[in-house]
Amino acid sequence: MTFLINTPDPDRIEQFRQTFADAFPDLPVASCDDPYDPADIKFIFTWQALPDWDVLPNLEIVFSVSAGIDQFANLPAHIKLIRMVDPKNTQRVTEYVLAACLGCLRAFPEYGWLQRHHTWAPKQAGFAQDTKVGILGLGGIGQHAAKALSLNGFQVSGWSRTPKDLSFVTSYSGKDGFDKIIGQSDILVCLLPLTDQTKGILDRELFAQTKPGASLVHVGRGAHCNFTDLKNALETQCLSQAFIDVFVDEPLLENRPEWDMPNCVITPHVAGRIDPKTAVENVAQNLTRYYQGQDLLWQVDRALGY
Ligand code: NDP
């Protein structure tokens, strides 16, 4: 039985290989460039979906390198899919969200745009304690970010499919909850998984419901957002500012209109990055459970899509 590692980054392959070898000295590990017998592969650690999963006839478990798993829509239902829950990645995304919310509070996207136009235009900044942040998606990362924002004085609400009972965040769910959180938030943060229900959720209709002067921090997935609608919302000041980390087609090509959205900071999908050591610990924990016949952790509900 061989454990297959499939990532496009050769440095990361070596880091993962070494960490796996340390954790499971008896488990043969191969990268896609190594010679291996496809029939030997029971587990794969991969960022991308394979175009054809039948090439690995005995595959049982896909361990996703990323927290988001929307790219695995073509995975046959009998193969288990495990999403990445890496505490260091959660911390990284939280720090991005906190930095972006503070950046919106202090109007950094707006000042960046004014700088491009050689314009000196000071404005009065608000305070975190008067600022309402609404987080769409109160999962592992959303809750961690909510706590950090709350500790930094922001008034934090969150929206999820099922209601939550948490001391540091006001929880909303359902359509009524969605309308409330969109209408009241000074800063909206998207930390949803990409599913059939959440695709295109950041659109003209949502932007029209936002509070005047609201900002958007988008770190979910590109396809959550209609970028034509976002550009229009920023140009018409329906939204005042944005930090956008994810796009429909990445990398964002040089001639894309998104680059010219006003009052918007664009980052190249860097909010999170899996740490090889803690990521492999996540996989190791589940492999140990697998060998002991226990249920696996962080298994994706294929019907819900996350
Ligand atoms: P989780 O699966 O832990 O949490 C998902 C949250 O979204 C849950 O609270 C869930 O509700 C909620 N949700 C799902 N569907 C709906 C819906 N239809 N309506 C309302 N709420 C819904 O995910 P993570 O927190 O680990 O990650 C969230 C996402 O962040 C990832 O899927 C990925 O897209 C993105 N991400 C981006 C990174 C980057 O670098 N830009 C890095 C890491 C993650 P409930 O709690 O009720 O199940």
Side-chain angles (χ1 to χ4, degrees):
M1 178 199 316
T2 303
F3 193 109
L4 187 62
I5 301 178
N6 176 38
T7 142
D9 180 344
D11 291 347
R12 302 212 98 201
I13 288 180
E14 270 328 297
Q15 285 178 308
F16 285 137
R17 191 202 294 273
Q18 194 49 55
T19 325
F20 270 113
D22 294 345
F24 292 94
D26 298 330
L27 181 67
V29 174
S31 83
C32 285
D33 294 333
D34 298 327
Y36 62 86
D37 177 357
D40 264 355
I41 307 294
K42 224 171 175 180
F43 315 115
I44 184 171
F45 188 47
T46 180
W47 188 82
Q48 299 137 312
L50 303 188
D52 177 9
W53 291 98
D54 291 345
V55 296
L56 303 176
N58 297 316
L59 185 66
E60 283 187 32
I61 308 177
V62 172
F63 293 96
S64 169
V65 178
S66 57
I69 48 74
D70 44 280
Q71 66 275 36
F72 295 108
N74 72 344
L75 185 70
H78 70 275
I79 300 173
K80 294 187 172 75
L81 175 58
I82 308 293
R83 68 203 176 81
M84 176 51 62
V85 177
D86 167 16
K88 286 208 174 147
N89 188 47
T90 299
Q91 176 67 23
R92 267 190 232 279
V93 181
T94 290
E95 286 171 359
Y96 181 105
V97 169
L98 180 59
C101 288
L102 288 166
C104 289
L105 182 65
R106 301 311 303 263
F108 287 172
E110 205 173 326
Y111 288 130
W113 184 250
L114 290 169
Q115 179 182 347
R116 270 161 94 168
H117 296 89
H118 299 202
T119 302
W120 182 275
K123 58 183 270 183
Q124 188 72 43
F127 289 102
Q129 62 264 33
D130 302 323
T131 304
K132 292 190 166 114
V133 179
I135 303 181
L136 305 180
L138 264 189
I141 301 176
Q143 288 187 27
H144 199 265
K147 198 167 209 170
L149 287 160
S150 166
L151 285 170
N152 278 274
F154 288 99
Q155 299 175 36
V156 189
S157 301
W159 181 71
S160 46
R161 199 176 49 79
T162 54
K164 306 275 176 270
D165 183 12
L166 300 164
S167 59
F168 49 88
V169 55
T170 308
S171 160
Y172 294 109
S173 57
K175 172 78 175 111
D176 286 355
F178 180 77
D179 290 344
K180 272 198 192 115
I181 199 166
I182 301 302
Q184 73 181 20
S185 300
D186 299 294
I187 305 172
L188 269 177
V189 177
C190 181
L191 266 170
L192 287 164
L194 182 64
T195 66
D196 290 346
Q197 284 68 42
T198 63
K199 191 173 178 190
I201 194 166
L202 304 176
D203 64 357
R204 179 192 304 257
E205 205 181 318
L206 178 150
F207 302 140
Q209 272 181 270
T210 53
K211 195 170 170 177
S215 300
L216 174 70
V217 175
H218 181 29
V219 283
R221 285 287 180 265
H224 282 130
C225 184
N226 179 321
F227 281 90
T228 307
D229 291 355
L230 174 63
K231 189 165 191 282
N232 185 53
L234 286 163
E235 283 170 353
T236 57
Q237 293 185 346
C238 172
L239 282 178
S240 68
Q241 309 179 88
F243 278 83
I244 307 292
D245 187 50
V246 285
F247 294 86
V248 177
D249 293 311
E250 298 176 358
L252 189 62
L253 295 179
E254 188 262 332
N255 61 353
R256 292 292 310 177
E258 287 89 333
W259 290 111
D260 296 315
M261 294 187 292
N263 304 330
C264 179
V265 171
I266 282 179
T267 52
H269 202 144
V270 291
R273 180 144 170 100
I274 297 302
D275 179 87
K277 188 164 180 302
T278 42
V280 172
E281 279 166 13
N282 159 308
V283 177
Q285 204 176 333
N286 257 332
L287 279 183
T288 305
R289 293 176 75 93
Y290 173 88
Y291 287 123
Q292 292 174 346
Q294 296 174 26
D295 287 344
L296 301 180
L297 303 171
W298 311 304
Q299 202 168 320
V300 173
D301 182 325
R302 304 295 296 285
L304 287 174
Y306 72 98

